[in-house]
């Protein structure tokens, strides 16, 4: 392990003893069933199939990884390394999985606790108890080790992380993309090892202790975004040729830093629609089930193809309706009383006829001609396809814990001046309409508004994927990737899903013959000085990014 030497002191041993005493019970309550399909397959006559031997290639890789594990830590002498090699081999043998680099970083923590606390059974060394705890931990919080060579779970986790980063820190997300630093480059070690990579052992043990106590595998993207958030100033100060190194240096080095990261992650969690964690948990559960039952490579490819298209944080219709019900006098009780309140602003970008036919009372209609033109221009840029192709290429190169330093995805070039001018028109029109409907301060950080873009049939396909040539995709990209506006999402399934859910909850869906809130005269007023307003907002976003650092 790279980095400064670690102290093998009594405080670390005391923490190891605490983990050894509590983790077996905590993990036993949370661990799922075996994730390996072979581990569940009977050999015949009702008996379980015998575990397979670890092949020669994996045995060699384990040996090499063990030798470089925690190289600066005094506890990792020859005896400890032999125990680590044995633990890794037993795990792969028992779970019927191929060895994946990164697993040695995880196993090292359990080997250290076993040695420091005289085993996980509380009385004497018990290699069986250590293996059981290690296996339960990996099954619950690190399912990527059951991926094999497909990296499906890792790929999906990285995409959800990217959604969350773009949602809360769009300026940082865009800066990383402009520099060609994809999440697969810097976040892969975090998700594969749950931050064990390059983190002091006493910090890892405390982090995992809290993580096991929390018991939510979807919390890791929040920790990752919080870690990035606390390092914003380092990114701002980095020169262009040192930017990648600044990202590589991002890590949790002390208990004080861990406390700050955990607090920031909890704050992000409370300010994020619950749709995010619900969808991530549901997708990962479905993928794990499929990995147990299927070995069809076509299925794997279809999952990755769909995941590549889900590049926007999606708000479930039922959560949008629940948040709407909080401020509605139509119902006596909120459909989900345990849902943290968010100021969700519903922006309806369907054609006027569709909006007039049915809409929720507090939805703001926004479909000016400039947005229609922007959708046409954006659909021809194929930017999303190029980004997806770049991510696929990068994922194909994950042969080690971290990508090679020369693997730099080729991202799309910046939008041309005509596209930017059209975007300025759209933003100025939105600013005017939204300020009239929601108040002049609707964009301010103090309001902490969550903008949910609502489309229609033209924006969603039968598989509930957002179409690249629709107004929803065009407006989302403009607001997040050009203007760096935080807390922008799309309503999954569009108006049809939203109104169906509203009717279930007893909320009235309105019809309207009134004109659009931005008539021709008002629209011309909004568009005057549009380019100036566009530039001003982006400058303000950059200033807020710098001042928050």
């Amino acid at each position: 392990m790279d980095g400064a030497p670690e102290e093998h002191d009594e405080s670390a041993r005391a923490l190891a003893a605490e983990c050894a005493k509590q983790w077996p019970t905590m993990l036993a309550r949370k661990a799922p069933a075996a994730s390996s399909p072979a581990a569940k397959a009977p050999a015949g006559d009702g008996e379980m199939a015998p575990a397979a031997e670890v092949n020669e290639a994996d045995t060699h890789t384990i040996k090499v990884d063990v030798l470089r594990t925690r190289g600066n830590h005094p506890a990792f002498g020859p005896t400890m390394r032999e125990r680590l090699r044995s633990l890794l081999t037993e795990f792969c043998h028992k779970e019927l999985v191929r060895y994946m680099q990164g697993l040695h970083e995880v196993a090292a923590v359990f080997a250290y606790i076993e040695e420091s606390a005289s085993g996980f059974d509380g009385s004497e060394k018990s290699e069986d108890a250590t293996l059981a705890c290690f296996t339960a931990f990996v099954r619950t919080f690190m399912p990527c080790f059951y991926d094999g060579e497909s990296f499906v779970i890792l790929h999906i986790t990285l995409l959800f992380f990217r959604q969350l980063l773009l949602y809360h820190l769009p300026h940082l997300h865009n800066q990383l993309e402009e520099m060609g630093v994809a999440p697969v480059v810097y976040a892969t070690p975090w998700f594969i090892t749950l931050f064990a990579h390059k983190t002091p052992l006493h910090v890892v043990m405390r982090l995992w202790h809290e993580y096991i106590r929390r018991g939510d595998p979807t919390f890791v993207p929040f920790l990752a975004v919080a870690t990035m958030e606390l390092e914003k100033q380092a990114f701002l100060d980095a020169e262009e040729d040192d930017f990648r190194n600044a990202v590589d240096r991002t890590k949790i080095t002390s208990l004080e830093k861990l406390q700050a990261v955990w607090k920031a992650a909890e704050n992000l969690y409370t300010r994020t629609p619950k749709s995010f964690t619900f969808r991530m948990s549901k997708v990962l559960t479905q993928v794990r089930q499929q990995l147990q039952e299927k070995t069809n490579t076509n299925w794997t490819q279809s999952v990755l193809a769909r995941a590549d298209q889900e590049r926007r944080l999606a708000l479930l219709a039922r959560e949008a309706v629940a948040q709407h019900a909080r401020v509605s006098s139509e119902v006596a009780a909120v459909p989900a009383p345990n849902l943290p309140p968010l100021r969700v602003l519903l922006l309806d970008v369907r054609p006027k006829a569709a909006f007039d036919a049915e809409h929720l009372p507090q939805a703001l209609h926004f479909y000016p001609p400039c947005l229609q033109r922007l959708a046409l221009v954006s659909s021809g840029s194929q930017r999303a396809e190029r980004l997806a192709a770049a991510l696929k290429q990068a994922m194909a190169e994950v042969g080690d814990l971290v990508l090679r330093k020369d693997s730099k995805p080729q991202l799309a070039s910046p939008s041309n001046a005509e596209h930017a001018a059209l975007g300025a028109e759209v933003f100025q029109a939105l600013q005017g309409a939204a300020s009239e409907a929601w108040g002049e301060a609707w964009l301010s950080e103090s309001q902490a508004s969550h903008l949910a873009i609502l489309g229609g049939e033209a924006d969603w396909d039968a598989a509930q994927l957002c179409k690249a040539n629709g107004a929803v995709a065009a407006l989302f990209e403009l607001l997040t990737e050009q203007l760096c506006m935080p807390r922008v999402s799309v309503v999954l399934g569009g108006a049809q899903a939203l109104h169906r859910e509203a009717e279930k909850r007893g909320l009235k869906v309105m019809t309207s013959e009134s004109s659009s809130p931005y008539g021709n005269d008002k629209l011309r007023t909004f568009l005057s000085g549009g380019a100036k307003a566009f530039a001003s907002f982006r400058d303000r976003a950059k200033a807020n990014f710098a001042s928050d650092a």
Side-chain angles (χ1 to χ4, degrees), residues 256-433:
E256 292 75 18
K257 179 74 173 291
L258 171 60
Q259 185 178 16
V261 168
W262 192 275
K263 182 178 179 180
E266 290 282 14
N267 186 38
L268 289 169
Y269 186 86
T270 59
R271 294 188 292 115
T272 302
K274 295 308 171 195
S275 300
F276 174 83
T277 52
F278 177 83
R279 295 192 71 228
M280 180 178 176
S281 178
K282 183 177 180 180
V283 170
L284 291 179
T285 298
Q286 291 174 343
V287 169
R288 292 175 74 164
Q289 291 173 349
Q290 290 292 333
L291 287 174
Q292 291 181 39
E293 300 169 3
K294 296 180 181 289
T295 57
N296 189 337
T297 56
N298 292 330
W299 170 82
T300 299
Q301 292 171 358
S302 67
V303 170
L304 294 179
R306 178 184 175 91
D308 277 333
Q309 298 179 62
E310 293 207 21
R311 311 189 63 79
R312 306 161 187 89
L313 192 145
L315 189 68
L316 292 173
R318 62 174 176 265
E319 182 171 6
V321 170
Q323 298 293 356
H324 172 80
R326 293 181 184 279
V327 294
S328 174
S329 59
E330 301 175 30
V331 292
V334 177
N338 61 337
L339 200 66
L342 302 175
R343 187 176 183 238
V344 175
L345 307 178
L346 196 60
L347 189 66
D348 196 322
V349 297
R350 293 176 296 156
K352 185 175 183 299
F355 177 82
D356 288 344
E358 57 175 4
H359 62 270
L360 290 181
Q362 294 180 332
L364 172 62
H365 182 234
F366 182 72
Y367 194 63
C370 54
L371 176 58
Q372 301 169 45
R373 296 198 305 273
L374 181 67
L376 291 175
V377 172
S378 299
S379 64
S381 68
Q382 296 183 328
R383 184 175 189 278
E385 287 77 3
R386 287 200 292 270
L387 284 171
L391 181 56
K392 278 186 177 180
Q393 178 183 358
M395 286 300 303
E397 297 176 358
V398 182
D400 200 345
L401 187 60
V402 186
L403 287 178
R404 298 189 309 272
K405 297 302 181 184
D406 60 350
S407 61
K408 180 177 179 180
Q410 299 299 313
L411 301 179
S413 59
S415 302
N416 57 36
E418 181 182 357
H419 194 175
L422 184 55
E425 291 187 30
V426 174
F427 170 70
Q428 183 64 7
L430 175 61
Q431 169 70 350

